[in-house]
Amino acid sequence: MNKTLKPLTMATLACLTLQSPAQAASIDGPPVFWKISMYGNPRALTSGMEALAAKAAEETDGNFQIKIFYADQLGNSRENLDGLKLNAFEGAGICNFYHPGKNPAWMVFSLPFLPIGDPDVQKATFKKMFEHPAIVADMANWNAIPYASGLLPQYEIMGKGPAPTEIDGWAGLRVRAGGGLGDAMEKLGAINQTLSASETLTAFQNGTVDAAAFPMTYAHVAFKINEEADWYTSNLAPGTSECGWVLNKTAFEALPEAYQTFLMDNRDLVLDTEQAAYAAADETNFALFEETLDKITYTDAQIAEIRERAARPVWDEWVAANQGDFDAQGVLDDLLQYAEEAAAAN
């Protein structure tokens, strides 16, 4: 059974992001200004990096400034890795399924129905995967290093029109889903639409998409999908993706050692703040969804059939498609092992 994080108040979240005055200016160093490229607007996903930026400024007395540039100001969401390779900025938020060919090993994060529904298991698993040689190698090709996972919650799907209360109801639906989740939806007969998050609302409004998978619940609200939808799935839990944070390798290596240490020592701040923000958003959003949308809840038998049709077959196909380029089976096996170890430790 998935564990749900307890929602935190905004005051509690603030405590995660701010240090006491006694801890200010504890790191000496030169003035440094970092630009982080991000798509979309400030939201729960970005709360962790905002917390990091606040702490960096405070602990260096304003010398280490980290600024997130939102809404594709520095580059298109599909081109952030290119920007890092060109040294256009010092860090970026990326979504692996926006550019699968650029980060093929990272697509393991988007395989459907992985055993990472528990937030603690997901955090422990993805932290270890961010140090995996294949994951590091993908970023090295773009002058980047993995920094902190976005730890996106399990996806659910919102849509317009007749709700797919039966499994066959997915046939023919145009569903925005990425990576292995998109492959899983195709196994159910849906037509996969690989739209970016920012493009999805417009697609709903002009009628070119019927449903969209987003991290439940914050992302549906952040991108206003709930304002267009008629229904949502409540217990499909088909998986997630990796929309996390990577740093410019050249810029990181040019930092004073004290700043490098600060960044690496505060990855948990980013992760914990994200997860707390997701939980806080759920407190409000679930109540809103209950009032405005039809809720689809599948039976255990339906979920079992969906997983049989759309889980392991997609895993096997992903391994077969990539095994010649890198040890895809090894990457998947390691992720599953890390998840098993994390579950046993909780």
Side-chain angles (χ1 to χ4, degrees):
M1 181 179 296
N2 292 353
K3 183 190 302 180
T4 301
L5 291 175
K6 293 181 179 180
L8 302 182
T9 65
M10 293 307 296
T12 305
L13 287 173
C15 290
L16 287 171
T17 64
L18 298 178
Q19 304 298 306
S20 66
Q23 294 176 304
S26 60
I27 300 173
D28 292 327
V32 172
F33 180 68
W34 266 28
K35 303 181 298 295
I36 308 294
S37 178
M38 187 58 184
Y39 53 93
N41 295 319
R43 54 199 187 279
L45 170 60
T46 65
S47 63
M49 286 299 284
E50 291 284 11
L52 180 77
K55 187 174 181 180
E58 184 169 347
E59 295 211 353
T60 64
D61 198 20
N63 281 329
F64 189 11
Q65 293 286 334
I66 300 172
K67 182 175 180 180
I68 303 174
F69 288 80
Y70 291 101
D72 293 343
Q73 292 180 68
L74 302 183
N76 183 275
S77 58
R78 300 181 190 276
E79 298 172 356
N80 273 337
L81 289 176
D82 304 85
L84 291 169
K85 192 168 186 176
L86 295 171
N87 294 312
F89 33 78
E90 289 72 35
I94 66 167
C95 265
N96 58 341
F97 67 88
Y98 286 176
H99 34 60
K102 295 177 180 179
N103 45 211
W106 282 58
M107 297 310 295
V108 72
F109 295 114
S110 294
L111 291 178
F113 300 106
L114 293 172
I116 53 171
D118 182 292
D120 291 336
V121 170
Q122 182 187 9
K123 177 185 172 184
T125 302
F126 282 25
K127 278 182 69 175
K128 293 191 73 171
M129 286 300 295
F130 262 49
E131 298 177 352
H132 192 286
I135 299 301
V136 173
D138 267 3
M139 290 301 104
N141 291 329
W142 301 95
N143 189 37
I145 57 176
Y147 180 60
S149 171
L151 292 183
L152 297 183
Q154 287 287 304
Y155 278 51
E156 291 292 348
I157 300 177
M158 284 189 177
K160 297 180 71 170
T165 54
E166 302 295 331
I167 298 175
D168 290 342
W170 289 103
L173 288 185
R174 298 162 298 175
V175 181
R176 181 268 183 191
L181 176 53
D183 296 334
M185 296 311 301
E186 289 181 343
K187 297 290 186 187
L188 301 180
I191 302 168
N192 186 27
Q193 306 288 308
T194 55
L195 301 171
S196 71
S198 302
E199 296 169 327
T200 305
L201 178 62
T202 301
F204 263 107
Q205 292 170 336
N206 64 28
T208 57
V209 70
D210 301 306
F214 276 102
M216 194 69 162
T217 61
Y218 92 92
H220 297 91
V221 174
F223 292 100
K224 301 183 179 181
I225 305 306
N226 62 302
E227 297 179 11
E228 298 293 325
D230 300 319
W231 52 263
Y232 73 98
T233 62
S234 65
N235 67 334
L236 189 60
T240 184
S241 58
E242 183 47 74
C243 297
W245 304 94
V246 297
L247 305 181
N248 180 298
K249 188 172 185 289
T250 300
F252 179 81
E253 291 177 348
L255 286 175
E257 183 178 351
Y259 289 3
Q260 292 181 357
T261 299
F262 166 82
L263 289 173
M264 304 314 286
D265 284 351
N266 280 282
R267 286 174 291 180
D268 275 343
L269 170 66
V270 176
L271 302 177
D272 292 343
T273 304
E274 290 169 350
Q275 288 192 322
Y278 298 144
D282 287 348
E283 182 78 358
T284 299
N285 295 339
F286 274 122
L288 173 64
F289 297 168
E290 292 280 350
E291 293 178 359
T292 60
L293 302 171
D294 292 332
K295 179 180 179 180
I296 300 174
T297 302
Y298 292 107
T299 66
D300 291 344
Q302 286 176 314
I303 292 295
E305 182 179 346
I306 289 170
R307 292 190 176 205
E308 181 178 355
R309 290 168 57 176
R312 177 64 70 171
V314 176
W315 298 5
D316 292 342
E317 289 173 6
W318 179 79
V319 169
N322 291 282
Q323 192 66 24
D325 298 319
F326 63 94
D327 184 11
Q329 185 65 62
V331 172
L332 175 58
D333 289 345
D334 287 342
L335 187 152
L336 295 174
Q337 178 184 337
Y338 298 158
E340 183 179 356
E341 292 170 350
N346 285 330

